[in-house]
Amino acid sequence: MQKQKEIVTTKAPAAIGPYSQAVEIGDLVFVSGQIPFDPVSGKLEHADIKGQARQSLENVKAIVEAAGLTLANVVKVNVSLTDMGAFADVNAIYAEYFTGEIKPARAVVQVAALPRQVLIEIEAIAHR
């Protein structure tokens, strides 16, 4: 059985429940869903979807980097939105972060609600 390793960074918000920011096992790093809270202030700094998408992606990026990887190592992304009408705005911000020749596989779903009434949550899987 492979040993799990917890990935933790102060450059992303601390977990707000009984879970890890990320867990590494073998060559995979599983990043928990990141909501758009600023890691310094601990608060939601952006009311609009573009700002929230950018902050969520910055949080994912910080955790991936804490594992010694980059966003180029991300192979799968799940995005949850409270309003699918925001898809185009989120997609534009997302494209700024994933610029490699091969983009991660991705799913985008609309959900009824997210923690702390945010508009977006993003989770990822990265590979070494």
Side-chain angles (χ1 to χ4, degrees):
M1 180 180 220
Q2 294 181 330
K3 185 176 178 180
Q4 295 181 29
K5 176 184 174 187
E6 183 178 30
I7 306 297
V8 179
T9 180
T10 58
K11 294 181 180 179
I16 57 173
Y19 62 90
S20 300
Q21 287 176 320
V23 174
E24 181 176 345
I25 186 163
D27 290 337
L28 298 174
V29 176
F30 296 86
V31 179
S32 291
Q34 294 302 301
I35 58 176
F37 277 64
D38 180 272
V40 176
S41 71
K43 297 180 181 176
L44 180 65
E45 301 288 342
H46 306 282
D48 67 303
I49 189 61
K50 288 181 181 180
Q52 287 195 21
R54 186 168 274 112
Q55 185 62 62
S56 292
L57 285 162
E58 284 294 325
N59 294 343
V60 168
K61 180 181 173 189
I63 295 168
V64 168
E65 288 176 350
L69 304 172
T70 71
L71 289 179
N73 295 96
V74 173
V75 295
K76 177 71 168 98
V77 176
N78 291 326
V79 179
S80 297
L81 300 173
T82 58
D83 178 8
M84 195 57 82
F87 181 83
D89 287 337
V90 170
N91 211 39
I93 301 300
Y94 181 94
E96 295 174 13
Y97 285 82
F98 295 100
T99 59
E101 184 177 332
I102 299 175
K103 310 295 188 271
R106 183 180 79 180
V108 179
V109 297
Q110 181 171 320
V111 296
L114 288 165
R116 306 219 176 152
Q117 292 73 52
V118 299
L119 305 175
I120 188 169
E121 181 174 23
I122 302 175
E123 64 179 281
I125 301 170
H127 185 271
R128 290 205 176 275

